[in-house]
Amino acid sequence: MLYRFYVNLTEQDYYEFNRFHLFTSHYGKKQFEKIRILTSVIPLILFILRFASYVLSGFAAENLAVCIVYILLSVFLFFISKPLVWFISKLQIKQMKKQGKLPFTPASTLEFYDDSFVEITPDNKTESKYSLVDSIYIVNGKMIYIFTNSVLAYMLPVKVFESEEQYNSFMDFITEKTKPAIIVDR
């Protein structure tokens, strides 16, 4: 074993990861933009259909008001979509917690070997080859997210490193085994 880290995560760490995943990671950013466009386009489609029916049946002043409402709704949904998606995500996390199922493991051990890395939790032991790593993000110099796919990431707080030398050595090692890390300051 080359590296062993004892990871303790808080609920706030998990919220920050989700915010990052939803709005910044290449996975979530694409999905969020699709949601934003879809929720904004639906009222515009309704506007076009309504407008077409008004043109065919005769246009009245109250019809103009309805069309304006559809346009304003479209703009409103475009700008409110990010807080709305975040609010829904937080509700889902709180619901899981209320059911007694934390969506993350608060305490784990991550071990890094020459050919794979292992996450050990009280309930599970997962070994992954480095070839499965899709991307690595270093966020605000505080957290390292090692994504193996669009929904699974290992969270490694920078505070687990004993020194800057150990951190630099690990980053050299992990980027040699996988891909260069993407540094995100937000």
Side-chain angles (χ1 to χ4, degrees):
M1 170 185 25
L2 301 172
Y3 298 94
R4 176 184 285 154
F5 302 109
Y6 299 101
V7 178
N8 292 303
L9 300 172
T10 65
E11 196 171 319
Q12 185 61 36
D13 291 331
Y14 187 71
Y15 279 117
E16 288 301 316
F17 167 74
N18 274 280
R19 181 181 292 277
F20 171 81
H21 185 267
L22 285 170
F23 305 120
T24 308
S25 76
H26 67 277
Y27 307 107
K29 197 180 229 182
K30 289 178 190 176
Q31 289 299 105
F32 173 68
E33 288 305 318
K34 288 177 186 175
I35 291 169
R36 175 177 262 179
I37 290 168
L38 183 63
T39 58
S40 300
V41 167
I42 290 172
L44 286 178
I45 291 170
L46 293 173
F47 159 74
I48 291 168
L49 293 173
R50 182 67 69 124
F51 187 77
S53 74
Y54 292 153
V55 168
L56 295 173
S57 65
F59 204 80
E62 62 269 3
N63 298 343
L64 179 63
V66 172
C67 289
I68 290 172
V69 168
Y70 280 130
I71 292 172
L72 291 175
L73 180 61
S74 178
V75 171
F76 175 74
L77 287 173
F78 180 82
F79 287 107
I80 196 72
S81 59
K82 187 171 185 175
L84 183 62
V85 166
W86 179 236
F87 176 75
I88 292 168
S89 178
K90 284 178 24 179
L91 281 179
Q92 290 172 335
I93 293 168
K94 287 179 183 179
Q95 184 65 28
M96 283 189 263
K97 185 179 176 188
K98 192 175 182 180
Q99 294 172 349
K101 297 179 182 179
L102 285 176
F104 68 98
T105 305
S108 66
T109 302
L110 282 173
E111 297 177 347
F112 293 85
Y113 298 88
D114 277 326
D115 59 342
S116 63
F117 62 101
V118 178
E119 180 188 43
I120 304 166
T121 69
D123 300 324
N124 197 15
K125 182 176 180 178
T126 307
E127 182 174 354
S128 301
K129 299 283 185 194
Y130 293 110
S131 60
L132 291 177
V133 174
D134 185 60
S135 58
I136 299 173
Y137 289 91
I138 304 168
V139 180
N140 297 331
K142 295 180 181 177
M143 191 68 78
I144 301 168
Y145 300 133
I146 303 171
F147 281 89
T148 56
N149 59 44
S150 63
V151 293
L152 178 63
Y154 296 92
M155 298 188 292
L156 186 62
V158 171
K159 65 185 177 188
V160 301
F161 294 97
E162 295 172 0
S163 65
E164 189 173 336
E165 291 78 24
Q166 185 188 35
Y167 170 81
N168 291 333
S169 172
F170 174 76
M171 290 311 299
D172 289 343
F173 167 78
I174 197 75
T175 55
E176 178 185 308
K177 295 287 184 181
T178 61
K179 299 176 178 184
I182 301 165
I183 298 172
V184 178
D185 290 317
R186 41 173 208 135

